[in-house]
Amino acid sequence: MATRLHLLKARQAETLGTGFHSDGGNLFLRVKPTGSRAWVFRYTSAGKVRELGLGSLLSRSLAEARLVADKMRKAVAEGTDPGLVLQARADPVAMTFRDCALALIEAKRPGWSNSKHAQQWENTLRDYAYPSLAAKRPADITLVDIKTILLPIWVTKTETATRLRQRIEAVLDYAAVHGLCDGARNPARWKGVLNKVLPEPNKVRTRDHHAAAPYQDVPAIMAALRLKEHTSALMLRFLILTAVRSGEARGALWSEIDVPARVWSIPARRMKAQREHRIPLSQEAMEILRVMAARRQGSNDLVFPGLRGGVMSDVAVNKSLHAFAPDVTVHGFRSSFRDWGAEQTSFPSAVMELALAHVNKNRVEAAYQRSDLFDRRVDLMNTWAEFCAGDRQGSQPIEHNAP
């Protein structure tokens, strides 16, 4: 019987829940409860089942994993070690710009607060750098190559172009420290190289803000969301009530929530500022948690899991929001919260900023600000929940029992 191949679809690779999923022909996708996704090549040698990791889905697409697995199957059929296929790809002599980029992303991954950083790096390089640089060796990349990539988008997409330049520079620096090119002549470097041929980014950049709903519209949006029972709508209500970022809410864990005290403590590793953030939970937020607790399946620690048990996607959240607010972004609700606080309440700016987990940029003030003003934020989130409730009956204050 012929071996069945290519059982997975690209979309499935991104959305399948926890488990070990076969693509056929020795290639598997392992999805962990944390949502991480990695390729595995499984084969039998000397009567024993062996596994070789092929990297994460973020660093190697389904199509790329299949190409590597095909070479490894041939190695097994020929009686050679399939691991040599991976070693050949890691051979510095043969490493291309793309090989260096993927290696750098893997090296940086443990230091990033969430997986989106790796995805952003991969997407930016894939869309703009790989078309012309992917197969080139770092030593062969010139200033002309970099200008060809950056010039078309430097004025129209300045923020993207700036980040792209920084990432290309980092990849070439990575290549340089591994002896693949001359580090003193990095053609993507800004000072002394590109600043001689491109205008300063801050002279041409148009700052794009996340489209926010006017705070006056938030009660109506919340009312519309309350008519929906699906998880993404519940998650969006929870996000609005707690004024957190999308990734923080979608990745919320039951182990982070102290139900009796009504406190959600997000660990530093999941926060943009790398600091623990405690959030007092309003009555409506607790109601949402009770609904999700009743829906909880098995030992899944995610409060708002996606359809297949992993972290919910941005797409699902945006779909819930854009059904009745097409021009509003999820992140914009933080701005709505901030504008409401400034215009409709007397809460000090410091309390509002701490509620948003913003870092005080004034170093002198920050040095003396040792409290997270939690008790003041209990009152703040109470008042915000009441505002979000509009005419809804039964809104109750937070019963703060935290020590």
Side-chain angles (χ1 to χ4, degrees):
M1 180 183 296
T3 301
R4 296 184 63 193
L5 299 175
H6 303 175
L7 304 180
L8 298 176
K9 295 180 180 179
R11 178 60 180 161
Q12 287 179 308
E14 297 175 352
T15 59
L16 284 171
T18 302
F20 204 58
H21 309 286
S22 174
D23 185 51
N26 307 87
L27 180 61
F28 294 82
L29 176 67
R30 175 179 281 130
V31 182
K32 294 184 178 180
T34 59
S36 66
R37 300 167 185 273
W39 298 111
V40 174
F41 183 83
R42 176 180 282 185
Y43 68 106
T44 302
S45 177
K48 294 183 179 181
V49 176
R50 304 180 186 278
E51 292 183 359
L52 291 173
L54 307 187
S56 73
L57 178 62
L58 293 176
S59 63
R60 180 170 278 139
S61 69
L62 173 59
E64 292 164 344
R66 284 171 175 169
L67 289 174
V68 177
D70 182 58
K71 294 179 181 180
M72 297 175 78
R73 279 194 300 274
K74 291 177 181 177
V76 172
E78 294 169 358
T80 60
D81 182 1
L84 295 176
V85 174
L86 297 176
Q87 292 179 19
R89 286 181 59 86
D91 180 3
V93 177
M95 286 184 77
T96 63
F97 175 86
R98 188 174 187 284
D99 291 330
C100 291
L102 294 179
L104 175 59
I105 290 171
E106 286 303 312
K108 283 181 168 288
R109 192 185 302 278
W112 283 326
S113 58
N114 61 62
S115 60
K116 287 185 67 175
H117 292 301
Q119 187 68 66
Q120 289 164 353
W121 270 68
E122 177 67 17
N123 290 349
T124 305
L125 294 172
R126 178 199 63 204
D127 294 342
Y128 298 100
Y130 289 169
S132 59
L133 300 184
K136 281 197 171 188
R137 296 189 179 184
D140 297 331
I141 295 173
T142 66
L143 178 60
V144 173
D145 293 319
I146 306 302
K147 288 172 60 180
T148 300
I149 294 169
L150 295 180
L151 279 173
I153 61 172
W154 193 255
V155 174
T156 58
K157 299 179 179 180
T158 309
E159 185 69 30
T160 298
T162 301
R163 293 181 180 179
L164 173 62
R165 183 207 66 76
Q166 293 169 343
R167 289 165 185 172
I168 294 175
E169 179 185 11
V171 172
L172 294 178
D173 280 342
Y174 177 91
V177 300
H178 288 83
L180 304 178
C181 60
D182 184 356
R185 299 187 179 186
N186 189 326
R189 187 159 292 137
W190 178 251
K191 189 174 182 180
V193 182
L194 289 174
N195 68 336
K196 305 300 182 184
V197 295
L198 293 172
E200 293 284 343
N202 58 5
K203 301 295 184 181
V204 297
R205 176 162 50 215
T206 300
R207 188 171 182 84
D208 294 325
H209 294 278
H210 296 280
Y215 67 82
Q216 297 91 337
D217 293 348
V218 173
I221 291 174
M222 288 290 283
L225 286 171
R226 290 188 196 101
L227 299 176
K228 309 294 183 180
E229 297 183 355
H230 46 77
T231 301
S232 58
L234 288 162
M235 195 287 301
L236 190 50
R237 285 170 56 197
F238 190 77
L239 175 148
I240 293 171
L241 290 165
T242 53
V244 298
R245 299 175 180 86
S246 176
E248 294 158 5
R250 289 184 292 110
L253 303 176
W254 287 110
S255 55
E256 297 171 351
I257 296 173
D258 185 338
V259 174
R262 300 190 177 193
V263 179
W264 176 23
S265 299
I266 309 177
R269 60 182 171 76
R270 291 212 309 112
M271 294 298 300
K272 182 177 180 180
Q274 295 290 297
R275 295 181 180 179
E276 182 188 47
H277 183 43
R278 295 192 301 157
I279 305 169
L281 298 174
S282 65
Q283 177 67 19
E284 185 170 352
M286 294 302 298
E287 291 172 4
I288 293 168
L289 291 179
R290 280 192 283 273
V291 172
M292 294 311 304
R295 297 182 183 180
R296 187 176 182 181
Q297 294 185 353
S299 59
N300 193 337
D301 199 28
L302 285 167
V303 177
F304 303 101
L307 290 176
R308 300 185 181 277
V311 176
M312 183 184 300
S313 69
D314 275 323
V315 174
V317 181
N318 287 326
K319 185 176 180 181
S320 292
L321 175 61
H322 293 163
F324 47 84
D327 298 325
V328 174
T329 64
V330 173
H331 191 85
F333 285 110
R334 287 168 56 83
S335 295
S336 306
F337 170 76
R338 187 65 179 86
D339 291 345
W340 163 82
E343 295 184 18
Q344 297 294 318
T345 79
S346 59
F347 287 100
S349 175
V351 177
M352 297 297 303
E353 292 301 298
L354 285 169
L356 291 166
H358 285 165
V359 175
N360 192 334
K361 295 181 180 180
N362 186 313
R363 294 185 178 181
V364 175
E365 289 183 2
Y368 288 94
Q369 186 177 299
R370 302 186 183 278
S371 169
D372 65 357
L373 303 179
F374 186 83
D375 289 337
R376 296 296 306 275
R377 290 193 288 114
V378 169
D379 295 334
L380 170 64
M381 303 316 287
N382 242 351
T383 307
W384 172 240
E386 291 170 359
F387 173 78
C388 290
D391 295 330
R392 185 181 185 228
Q393 297 299 314
S395 178
Q396 299 179 27
I398 301 168
E399 297 175 8
H400 174 45
N401 301 317

